[in-house]
Amino acid sequence: DGGITQSPKYLFRKEGQNVTLSCEQNLNHDAMYWYRQDPGQGLRLIYYSQIVNDFQKGDIAEGYSVSREKKESFPLTVTSAQKNPTAFYLCASSMQSGLNYGYTFGSGTRLTVV
Amino acid sequence: GIQVEQSPPDLILQEGANSTLRCNFSDSVNNLQWFHQNPWGQLINLFYIPSGTKQNGRLSATTVATERYSLLYISSSQTTDSGVYFCAVAEYGNKLVFGAGTILRVKS
């Protein structure tokens, strides 16, 4: 079945550590996105990529980095510069052309700083 | 940037009741989507509806782009409808801005 796979489901990070969240899709979607969700709030865009080897900052990119070396993959690194990284991270993908730009989301990664 | 407001923020329904959720947005959009987030955090795309009306089973949605609002109708609600409903819009392209959501609780 086509879909988006995020891993791990739960991740614990020590202070000062970088961690990388994985996002893989087999939907042949051009665009991929990373969102952050804090308790009781909506989603905020961290980074997005419309094509391979290209990505743009979203609204809250500070302390995060991404790469898009393959169409299927869009990993997110939470660096030690991100002062409040505890949150639920969601990856999504969509087509860039056609009649339906509907997003497909992964099941998310819950990151906790310990 | 574009602003998205959803109402009501919270809604409690008895099983079998109908409900209407509203999404207002501050500028013209070419992309509007409704999502349901279940209690485990999974987001499911319900509708891609930048304009017009669509129906899918007990759910339907209408977007009046000229008046900058969209409505999500849930009929004959079930306990599995519980969760958070998000409206998200984009002025251009596919970079969505999300509203704060409506928390729906359906009681049996």
Side-chain angles (χ1 to χ4, degrees), chain B residues 66-79:
Chain B
T66 53
E67 297 187 23
R68 299 181 186 167
Y69 73 89
S70 183
L71 302 173
L72 178 69
Y73 306 96
I74 304 174
S75 64
S76 304
S77 58
Q78 301 175 357
T79 56

Side-chain angles (χ1 to χ4, degrees), chain B residues 6-26:
Chain B
Q6 292 186 241
S7 59
D10 279 280
L11 186 58
I12 300 175
L13 295 177
Q14 198 64 39
E15 198 168 27
N18 302 330
S19 64
T20 301
L21 281 57
R22 186 175 180 105
C23 172
N24 291 334
F25 42 95
S26 60

Side-chain angles (χ1 to χ4, degrees), chain A residues 25-61:
Chain A
Q25 56 100 358
N26 61 4
L27 299 165
N28 199 32
H29 282 171
D30 304 303
M32 296 186 74
Y33 315 84
W34 275 105
Y35 284 86
R36 169 181 171 141
Q37 186 177 29
D38 292 285
Q41 297 186 30
L43 281 66
R44 292 182 291 166
L45 182 64
I46 305 172
Y47 268 98
Y48 65 104
S49 168
Q50 295 172 306
I51 56 172
V52 175
N53 292 323
D54 187 45
F55 48 83
Q56 287 81 40
K57 292 182 179 180
D59 300 318
I60 55 165

Side-chain angles (χ1 to χ4, degrees), chain A residues 10 20-21 23 28-29 34 37 41-42 53 59 63 66-68 71 73 77 79 85 87 94 97 99-100 102:
Chain A
Y10 300 93
T20 298
L21 283 58
C23 178
N28 199 32
H29 282 171
W34 275 105
Q37 186 177 29
Q41 297 186 30
N53 292 323
D59 300 318
V66 294
S67 62
R68 186 89 187 275
K71 188 175 184 178
S73 178
T77 296
T79 75
S94 72
S97 61
L99 297 177
N100 188 336

Side-chain angles (χ1 to χ4, degrees), chain A residues 33 35 37 40-43 45 48 59 88 90 94-96 99-103 105-107 110, chain B residues 30-31 33 35 37 39-45 48 54 86 93-101:
Chain A
Y33 315 84
Y35 284 86
Q37 186 177 29
Q41 297 186 30
L43 281 66
L45 182 64
Y48 65 104
D59 300 318
F88 188 45
L90 287 151
S94 72
M95 293 301 292
Q96 280 291 89
L99 297 177
N100 188 336
Y101 298 96
Y103 274 28
F105 275 92
S107 56
R110 293 190 187 275
Chain B
N30 72 347
N31 188 338
Q33 301 183 36
F35 296 89
Q37 187 171 38
W40 297 272
Q42 178 72 55
L43 273 149
I44 302 297
N45 188 299
Y48 168 75
K54 289 186 178 179
F86 290 105
N94 217 13
K95 196 179 84 165
L96 290 177
V97 174
F98 282 73

